[in-house]
Amino acid sequence: MKKTKKRAPLKRFKSVKKLIKPRIKKFHKKFHFSHKQKSGKKFQAPIMAPHLKNAILILDFGSQYTQLIARRVRENKVYSTIVSHTITAEEIKKIAPKGLIFSGGPASVYDEKSPKCDKAIFKLGLPILGICYGQQLLAQYFGGKVKRTREREYGRMELFIDDHSDFLNALPGNITCWMSHGDFVSKLPKGFTSIAHTLNTPNAAFASRDKKIIGVQFHPEVAHTSHGSQIISNFLYRVCRCSPSWEMGSFIKNTVAQIRTLVGDDNVVCGLSGGVDSSVTAMLVHRAVGRQLRCVFVDNGLVRNREPEEIKNIFRGNFHMNLDFVNAQNRFLKRLKGVTDPEEKRKIIGDEFIKVFEEEAKKIRRVKYLAQGTLYPDVIESISATGSPTAKIKSHHNVGGLPEHMNLKLIEPLRQLFKDEVRQLAKQLGLPPEIITRQPFPGPGLAIRIIGDVTPERLQILREAEDIFVAEIRKAGLYEEVWQSFAILLTVKSVGVMGDERTYDNVIALRCVSSTDGMTADWVKLEPAFLGKVSNRIINEVQGVNRVVYDISSKPPATIEWE
């Protein structure tokens, strides 16, 4: 039988550099944005350079769970940062962290091309926790043996605790753990002891207390492992002797002071979309430099109902910020006319936004800095750490896809934060609930929720349908419980009967998903009666719609947005 060539994962996501290359050349020389200064040296945003001496470094060996490890550490009030597995012992020594975590990964340690680390790391005397591939790497280095399993373990397994001291302290005798491996440690290194097992894996966890090295075959970072947070906490506090110093109050104080010192008497421009990321960025910079910040809100005609008015009221009215409001609806819709390809839509919207933003920036005097709400997942998903085997998931417009020269230097105060940490900041900064709890909204806006041609008429249909759906989600008390809930306008039309007459009208798809970080998502099992109510309202109240369907796809294999 002829073998079919496997498709590369998520091949449809293009490199941002390829995506925006044509429009880069059109930039005016005065306002080129990138990570390089005129000297050509890489410009490292000075904001958010935390004191790492009470931190944990996570060496990335290619696991898609690496972000989760970092989040779980931070949830225990210890700062963590992800680095490449190629980091040297000397680089780690300069940072002086309290401990290291080796992530999992898809490779087998006995393969020649499998990722390895600098062997000098083991001579630093730092506590190390190896997870899955990381455990097998530790076993191999210290003289143990790793073999392929007869039956691959995947999913929930029962873990039996053999030693409750230190790392597995305060755990019951057996817990549920999450396994995902095809290799296992068949022989322990000298001086190491097994501290937990499953029915199929005798060395599901091992330790060398003299070396402060621990390895686990399961994944304590995932929600499927019961007591996973306690296991990570034990490593942080009982093994590494960390102190609980990572909290948002001190982050605000330190970051505001850094921004104030950096900016001096210069001015800062910030693209304000009304999402929680850009809003928190604007608030931090405003708290630091006040009227030296100028925010720009571009209404491209692809935003949700009442959004421009809400942004004006919140940031001009409540926080007295300098906010320039730009009505650019006509120019965006003109360029999108007749465009149906989703990548082409993204390209056009990004191109036009930069043009509009550039025109507005030119009107502001003494602007030296551009503030933007880049998050840590944006950085990780767009550009894997140098030498990291982690798959590049997708590109983000604000990371790694910028031109080669700049006059405006970047201020990215959220660059090393996760979304849940940003929401914590929003609360402490006094942002209203409608901003804090706002569900994620795609950069290209409603254009990628309209399958096919984007027109004023189709935008109106979609806005009205989504308003009804979200209103009912709020009324049911679900808005803050789910990750996203929205409507999609399809290209297909269907036959219907309304008022004893035949209709041939539009179809609306409803999408509601639950997630913690947007990287994976499950469809929400809404009650049939609820869906029926929403469907009836949309069909009766939105002219041009005669059918409503509900999307029951999870991510992966689907994505959250349709385009």
Side-chain angles (χ1 to χ4, degrees):
M1 185 168 60
K2 186 177 179 181
K3 290 185 178 179
T4 56
K5 191 174 182 181
K6 286 187 177 180
R7 291 173 60 189
L10 297 176
K11 188 175 180 180
R12 68 185 183 88
F13 288 109
K14 297 180 181 179
S15 153
V16 171
K17 286 188 177 180
K18 290 182 180 178
L19 195 63
I20 70 169
K21 189 175 180 181
R23 72 175 186 265
I24 291 173
K25 295 178 181 178
K26 299 178 184 178
F27 279 14
H28 299 299
K29 291 181 179 179
K30 186 175 180 182
F31 290 105
H32 280 176
F33 310 127
S34 89
H35 291 280
K36 292 188 179 181
Q37 301 180 79
K38 290 179 181 179
S39 64
K41 293 182 180 179
K42 191 171 183 180
F43 174 67
Q44 298 290 350
I47 304 305
M48 189 50 223
H51 185 65
L52 294 176
K53 294 191 184 298
N54 185 56
I56 297 294
L57 293 189
I58 300 164
L59 276 64
D60 180 16
F61 288 92
S63 173
Q64 296 297 344
Y65 295 143
T66 303
Q67 280 196 55
L68 283 178
I69 302 172
R71 291 184 67 230
R72 295 294 176 260
V73 173
R74 294 191 190 186
E75 286 169 5
N76 280 283
K77 298 186 177 180
V78 175
Y79 182 76
S80 64
T81 189
I82 299 168
V83 297
S84 169
H85 68 281
T86 60
I87 190 171
T88 66
E90 282 302 311
E91 289 171 328
I92 293 175
K93 197 173 179 180
K94 290 177 183 177
I95 297 171
K98 298 288 280 186
L100 309 174
I101 296 178
F102 289 6
S103 82
S108 294
V109 294
Y110 42 75
D111 289 343
E112 286 185 13
K113 294 183 179 180
S114 62
K116 300 292 192 295
C117 65
D118 182 358
K119 293 180 180 179
I121 290 173
F122 299 109
K123 298 178 181 178
L124 296 176
L126 291 171
I128 301 175
L129 168 60
I131 298 174
C132 197
Y133 178 89
Q135 182 214 34
Q136 295 161 13
L137 189 67
L138 292 173
Q140 185 188 61
Y141 174 80
F142 286 103
K145 290 185 178 180
V146 178
K147 292 183 179 179
R148 180 158 295 280
T149 58
R150 291 182 180 178
E151 293 184 10
R152 186 170 183 260
E153 271 191 320
Y154 182 82
R156 290 180 175 86
M157 300 290 168
E158 189 172 16
L159 182 75
F160 300 92
I161 311 299
D162 302 314
D163 187 335
H164 286 79
S165 55
D166 299 330
F167 181 65
L168 299 177
N169 182 66
L171 267 64
N174 55 302
I175 64 171
T176 299
C177 71
W178 183 262
M179 289 283 195
S180 179
H181 67 103
D183 299 329
F184 76 108
V185 177
S186 59
K187 181 183 177 182
L188 290 177
K190 187 177 179 180
F192 286 71
T193 58
S194 176
I195 58 175
H197 70 279
T198 68
L199 294 178
N200 298 321
T201 307
N203 301 310
F206 62 61
S208 170
R209 290 189 172 81
D210 292 341
K211 296 181 175 65
K212 293 185 179 179
I213 290 177
I214 299 158
V216 294
Q217 183 60 72
F218 61 93
H219 290 272
E221 70 273 22
V222 302
H224 306 299
T225 296
S226 61
H227 304 278
S229 181
Q230 178 64 49
I231 292 171
I232 291 174
S233 176
N234 285 342
F235 176 70
L236 300 176
Y237 294 109
R238 300 181 71 88
V239 180
C240 298
R241 303 297 178 186
C242 293
S243 58
S245 58
W246 177 248
E247 53 92 22
M248 292 299 101
S250 61
F251 175 89
I252 293 173
K253 181 180 178 181
N254 294 336
T255 302
V256 166
Q258 286 179 329
I259 295 172
R260 187 177 293 126
T261 301
L262 173 71
V263 172
D265 296 328
D266 294 306
N267 290 327
V268 185
V269 65
C270 175
L272 181 61
S273 69
V276 68
D277 304 334
S278 66
S279 298
V280 168
T281 298
M283 287 293 290
L284 285 169
V285 178
H286 184 256
R287 184 170 287 195
V289 299
R291 304 295 287 181
Q292 291 168 245
L293 169 68
R294 180 65 64 90
C295 294
V296 178
F297 178 85
V298 178
D299 182 1
N300 56 13
L302 308 171
V303 297
R304 291 165 287 197
N305 268 344
R306 299 175 296 279
E307 198 156 39
E309 292 75 18
E310 289 176 1
I311 300 307
K312 283 182 185 178
N313 292 336
I314 291 170
F315 292 96
R316 276 185 185 170
N318 295 346
F319 298 110
H320 310 292
M321 285 188 186
N322 287 325
L323 173 61
D324 293 338
F325 179 82
V326 184
N327 188 335
Q329 295 183 27
N330 292 337
R331 58 191 290 180
F332 275 87
L333 293 180
K334 184 178 179 180
R335 288 200 60 187
L336 286 169
K337 186 176 181 180
V339 177
T340 59
D341 179 75
E343 290 300 316
E344 188 66 18
K345 288 180 185 177
R346 290 174 182 271
K347 181 179 177 180
I348 289 170
I349 293 165
D351 179 50
E352 197 64 26
F353 178 84
I354 289 177
K355 286 180 179 177
V356 174
F357 194 82
E358 180 192 30
E359 291 167 9
E360 294 304 311
K362 287 175 67 178
K363 300 175 185 177
I364 307 169
R365 289 185 174 186
R366 293 174 57 195
V367 174
K368 190 174 180 180
Y369 296 96
L370 167 67
Q372 60 180 20
T374 306
L375 299 191
Y376 200 24
D378 298 342
V379 178
I380 296 169
E381 287 190 354
S382 295
I383 306 170
S384 295
T386 304
S388 170
T390 302
K392 182 175 178 179
I393 299 171
K394 61 182 176 180
S395 296
H396 292 259
H397 70 283
N398 54 353
V399 185
L402 300 169
E404 289 298 314
H405 300 285
M406 72 176 284
N407 284 344
L408 294 183
K409 298 179 181 179
L410 294 179
I411 293 178
E412 298 176 308
L414 313 181
R415 189 178 176 86
Q416 295 186 22
L417 298 185
F418 291 103
K419 178 72 89 173
D420 53 337
E421 293 173 319
V422 175
R423 292 195 193 279
Q424 292 175 38
L425 277 183
K427 290 180 182 178
Q428 295 202 28
L429 289 166
L431 281 164
E434 54 265 38
I435 294 291
I436 297 171
T437 62
R438 181 167 291 188
Q439 293 178 358
F441 188 64
L446 297 178
I448 60 170
R449 291 180 179 172
I450 292 179
I451 312 303
D453 196 12
V454 180
T455 66
E457 295 75 22
R458 301 193 81 206
L459 281 164
Q460 184 61 26
I461 290 172
L462 179 60
R463 285 195 182 100
E464 290 181 13
E466 185 162 305
D467 267 1
I468 291 170
F469 185 34
V470 173
E472 292 297 334
I473 286 284
R474 287 184 182 278
K475 192 184 296 184
L478 296 172
Y479 187 81
E480 294 180 28
E481 292 183 15
V482 301
W483 179 261
Q484 272 175 277
S485 47
F486 58 93
I488 307 100
L489 179 59
L490 307 187
T491 50
V492 298
K493 289 190 174 184
S494 70
V495 173
V497 179
M498 300 179 77
D500 295 327
E501 292 184 0
R502 178 186 184 276
T503 62
Y504 189 59
D505 278 334
N506 294 285
V507 179
I508 287 288
L510 303 178
R511 182 86 160 127
C512 187
V513 297
S514 60
S515 180
T516 55
D517 51 21
M519 295 188 69
T520 61
D522 292 322
W523 61 279
V524 177
K525 296 171 178 60
L526 296 174
E527 293 293 330
F530 174 85
L531 288 171
K533 181 180 180 181
V534 174
S535 176
N536 286 337
R537 281 200 61 190
I538 291 174
I539 291 171
N540 288 321
E541 298 175 32
V542 181
Q543 189 172 357
V545 176
N546 69 358
R547 191 179 299 271
V548 174
V549 298
Y550 187 55
D551 183 349
I552 59 170
S553 309
S554 294
K555 177 186 179 181
T559 53
I560 293 177
E561 299 289 345
W562 276 44
E563 290 194 340

